[in-house]
Amino acid sequence: MNPQQAQTTIGEPNTTAIVFFLAFVGLTLAITYWAARKTKTTSEFFAAGGGVTGLQNGFALAGDFMSAASFLGIAGLVALSGFDGLIYSVGWLVGWPVVTFLIAEPLRNLGKYTFADVVAYRLKQTPVRISAALGTLTVVAFYLIAQMVGAGNLIRMMFGLSYEMAVVIVGVVMILYVLFGGMIATTWVQIVKAVLLLGGASALALMVLAKFSYSPLALFQEAVNQYGPEVLAPGKLVTNPLEAVSLGLALMFGTAGLPHILMRFYTVPNAKAARSSVFYATGLIGYFYLVTFILGFGASVLLGRGAITGVDKGGNMAAPMLAEAVGGTPFLGFISAVAFATILAVVAGLTLSGAAALSHDLWTHVVRKGKSPEHEQLRVARLASLGLGILAILLGIIFKGQNVAFMVGLAFAIAASANFPALLLSMLWKGFTTRGAVASMVTGTLSAVILIFLSPTVQVELLGNKEALFPLKNPGILTMPLAFVVGWVVSLVSPEPEAASRYAEVEHRMHVGAEADEPTPSAPSKTSATATPVQST
Amino acid sequence: MSQKTKAEELEALAAARWRVAAVLTAAMLISYFGFILLVAFDKPLMGKQIVPGLSLGILLGALVIASAWVFTGIYVLWANNRYDKALHQFRR
């Protein structure tokens, strides 16, 4: 099979793409209109009233997590380097079991809208919430920059729109979802997106495999014939084992500290539904990465690497080009619209989790000391979403043309260092104290940000210096243990008997749940909105 | 007296859950970092084709992905049966 010199219409206005995109935006805005009428309280705004089923939340978690970067980026990486793309896919997935085992159920039982609810449960509200909001907002900011810049570039490439125009469209549509429809609209946008992305990627993989008598091995063998056996072997991606382990730790435990992922566990009625939702999500995301792997090989075999790098040096257009080659311009249009929808769902989730930190943690608990009336909380929540949405657009435009791919890795490193250690210690260790929690979260955030700044990624690749002060690209291996040790040592030297005396209550609630959460036997999860537990603060 | 046994019951329940969670987390750590370290230290082994078109690396990578789902499934099965039953007993 000779790779055809691809004649691509990528980057030209594509009627099908525009029709599909408008249909998606129309459908999701209709959902938002419906959701807006059901969003009257903060519980509905931030947690969809706890009325999302386990299966729905599984799809929404997958929709929250599968970014355009992983769809287009990993397919491109596989197309250009073969096996190495799989290393990334595996890394992005392995955090999910950790979320299931350690975090999902206790979080659901102890908190209300943010992970700070759990850490602050028996500690002093003000200092804990401020430091947790610092960690959350840092993670959200870096993740948002990476998503917005990626969105601008991808949409410019696929639709031929200007970069700024693309960023503004993504920002405005996302603001509409979050501002009016809150978590209910965001959840459904994520579900629709997950179904479209999984369906689109599966259809594309089937069309590719049809050319190889439905055998992935025949496809891989053809890649070997074209590019040699190296395509099936590890290449240049992992050379330094320490670097690989450090990135691996950040990915594995960072997922368990991502605010927009953690927040989704408050949308289900009880711990049992939280547990099953991660099971669905892990299956969907794992399946998606396996499909992406096939798409990457399909692109390299059917299009040829030269044609792919001819359109985009990074290989990001491999999947859309493949869609055009096997399904024609209409299918290219469909896949492009799906990639657009994918970006929207991720930024909506991020913005909502940032708004929860601003309004629920900082305004309600720090500024108003927990005495803010409901209507005021909802107004602040909406203002925070609007502000963050506008900020996302501005950041997207400011960082135009910058290499921001490292920021997602950075967000994972901060999440693993700032959020995860404090969250785990607060659930497991009676002796954890306010000062310990604050020290752990602040150390985790600052050490991760500083070490990334001193890393080769920023010093050598971005600033063009000869060498970097810190040798590793990802600081996870140092900063995550550091946050644990600091949290532990500071707690030991600053005992807090009051916090320790309330541990029994935490332990009870963490495992048993609030009374309202008790699942009725034989009826696994109800769709009706159950009362969200009242946070004892 | 009954208060104390209730507290002990919860203690046992919590200990059981954290034990299962720790074992499964360790299993995931071993399978993932085992894969990464093999990739880092023995590239020729990972590139070896078991059958034409399928290298050991691809097989193991796919198995790590499958194992993530299987471990999660084992936990959910355990929790839905054993743990929730014990919890139900405890709530009475």
Side-chain angles (χ1 to χ4, degrees):
Chain A
M1 218 170 302
N2 284 323
Q4 315 120 0
Q5 270 315 306
Q7 279 142 8
T8 174
T9 56
I10 285 177
E12 294 164 23
N14 174 331
T15 323
T16 336
I18 294 166
V19 169
F20 273 118
F21 176 68
L22 289 180
F24 175 80
V25 171
L27 171 70
T28 47
L29 287 181
I31 290 173
T32 306
Y33 178 75
W34 163 80
R37 296 162 49 128
K38 294 178 66 164
T39 304
K40 295 194 172 67
T41 63
T42 43
S43 158
E44 284 147 358
F45 188 81
F46 283 133
V52 176
T53 67
L55 182 63
Q56 288 166 349
N57 196 41
F59 272 89
L61 281 167
D64 210 359
F65 190 74
M66 298 182 295
S67 62
S70 55
F71 175 48
L72 303 176
I74 290 181
L77 187 60
V78 174
L80 299 185
S81 65
F83 175 84
D84 277 1
L86 189 62
I87 304 174
Y88 264 104
S89 307
V90 171
W92 294 122
L93 184 71
V94 290
W96 284 92
V98 176
V99 175
T100 322
F101 307 148
L102 301 179
I103 303 292
E105 294 172 56
L107 186 84
R108 170 63 191 82
N109 280 337
L110 285 170
K112 199 175 174 193
Y113 306 140
T114 62
F115 89 92
D117 290 339
V118 179
V119 183
Y121 195 98
R122 63 195 160 102
L123 305 179
K124 297 201 174 59
Q125 295 292 322
T126 304
V128 171
R129 297 232 179 224
I130 292 175
S131 0
L134 172 76
T136 300
L137 293 170
T138 317
V139 173
V140 167
F142 283 117
Y143 217 116
L144 261 183
I145 293 174
Q147 293 294 326
M148 292 304 278
V149 173
N153 287 331
L154 294 173
I155 291 163
R156 185 174 52 82
M157 249 185 279
M158 284 189 299
F159 292 83
L161 288 172
S162 79
Y163 175 94
E164 285 80 4
M165 187 66 155
V167 168
V168 169
I169 292 179
V170 168
V172 168
V173 176
M174 176 268 280
I175 289 173
L176 291 177
Y177 295 154
V178 176
L179 182 61
F180 295 106
M183 184 54 103
I184 301 178
T186 302
T187 301
W188 282 101
V189 168
Q190 288 166 346
I191 293 173
V192 170
K193 163 263 177 97
V195 170
L196 284 176
L197 182 58
L198 289 164
S202 302
L204 185 51
L206 270 181
M207 288 197 237
V208 169
L209 287 177
K211 298 187 190 296
F212 298 91
S213 51
Y214 296 98
S215 155
L217 298 193
L219 169 65
F220 299 160
Q221 187 56 48
E222 179 57 32
V224 170
N225 295 345
Q226 283 187 22
Y227 301 102
E230 305 88 68
V231 286
L232 304 184
K236 280 175 274 172
L237 188 68
V238 173
T239 41
N240 176 351
L242 196 63
E243 185 81 74
V245 170
S246 192
L247 175 66
L249 279 176
L251 292 178
M252 199 161 183
F253 296 102
T255 310
L258 289 179
H260 62 302
I261 298 295
L262 297 179
M263 189 180 186
R264 289 226 52 89
F265 292 112
Y266 298 128
T267 65
V268 292
N270 53 50
K272 190 185 169 100
R275 173 196 305 157
S276 65
S277 65
V278 214
F279 176 65
Y280 296 125
T282 311
L284 293 172
I285 296 167
Y287 166 78
F288 171 72
Y289 284 137
L290 291 175
V291 170
T292 319
F293 192 62
I294 292 184
L295 297 185
F297 269 96
S300 72
V301 167
L302 296 175
L303 306 167
R305 286 179 181 169
I308 297 167
T309 47
V311 174
D312 172 50
K313 258 192 278 171
N316 285 312
M317 288 299 116
M321 287 172 73
L322 183 65
E324 188 177 25
V326 298
T329 316
F331 197 56
L332 165 68
F334 176 68
I335 291 292
S336 305
V338 167
F340 209 152
T342 286
I343 296 166
L344 278 171
V346 175
V347 291
L350 281 167
T351 302
L352 195 57
S353 66
L358 282 174
S359 71
H360 178 65
D361 291 334
L362 290 184
W363 178 262
T364 306
H365 284 95
V366 174
V367 178
R368 303 287 263 159
K369 306 288 175 210
K371 292 193 184 67
S372 169
E374 175 67 32
H375 66 91
E376 181 190 283
Q377 288 185 40
L378 189 60
R379 201 167 63 229
V380 173
R382 288 208 150 111
L383 276 174
S385 318
L386 180 63
L388 279 173
I390 293 170
L391 184 69
I393 295 176
L394 292 178
L395 287 173
I397 291 173
I398 291 170
F399 282 86
K400 177 185 178 178
Q402 302 288 318
N403 178 6
V404 293
F406 74 96
M407 285 189 183
V408 172
L410 170 59
F412 272 80
I414 302 171
S417 317
N419 304 348
F420 175 70
L423 190 54
L424 196 66
L425 285 173
S426 73
M427 297 186 309
L428 272 173
W429 186 32
K430 189 176 177 181
F432 200 42
T433 67
T434 302
R435 284 186 185 168
V438 170
S440 170
M441 289 188 282
V442 172
T443 308
T445 310
L446 293 183
S447 63
V449 172
I450 291 171
L451 289 184
I452 293 253
F453 180 73
L454 298 177
S455 76
T457 317
V458 172
Q459 293 296 322
V460 179
E461 288 167 35
L462 239 59
L463 301 178
N465 292 335
K466 275 249 158 55
E467 48 193 315
L469 273 171
F470 185 67
L472 295 175
K473 289 181 182 167
N474 196 298
I477 198 167
L478 201 71
T479 53
M480 189 177 86
L482 181 70
F484 271 111
V485 170
V486 166
W488 178 62
V489 170
V490 174
S491 295
L492 284 183
V493 299
S494 66
E496 196 175 334
E498 202 190 322
S501 73
R502 287 190 63 199
Y503 184 68
E505 180 190 335
V506 168
E507 197 170 37
H508 184 276
R509 173 132 176 200
M510 174 162 62
H511 290 93
V512 182
E515 293 304 319
D517 300 336
E518 185 157 358
T520 36
S522 82
S525 46
K526 287 183 295 183
T527 36
S528 68
T530 44
T532 333
V534 182
Q535 175 74 5
S536 54
T537 46
Chain B
M1 183 64 204
S2 88
Q3 195 58 36
K4 179 156 171 57
T5 49
K6 211 66 181 161
E8 281 169 0
E9 215 181 306
L10 180 68
E11 204 64 47
L13 205 65
R17 204 193 84 86
W18 288 121
R19 199 163 49 238
V20 171
V23 168
L24 286 169
T25 304
M28 196 63 243
L29 274 168
I30 291 166
S31 92
Y32 173 54
F33 285 105
F35 171 73
I36 289 292
L37 291 175
L38 271 177
V39 167
F41 284 111
D42 202 343
K43 291 190 168 63
L45 175 72
M46 295 299 258
K48 199 175 250 168
Q49 291 185 40
I50 310 163
V51 292
L54 182 67
S55 65
L56 184 64
I58 293 183
L59 177 69
L60 290 181
L63 281 178
V64 176
I65 291 184
S67 75
W69 198 47
V70 169
F71 290 150
T72 312
I74 292 172
Y75 173 77
V76 170
L77 272 181
W78 173 81
N80 281 354
N81 295 305
R82 302 278 191 83
Y83 179 74
D84 278 1
K85 277 212 185 79
L87 199 61
H88 192 68
Q89 287 290 326
F90 174 82
R91 281 197 177 110
R92 282 162 187 245

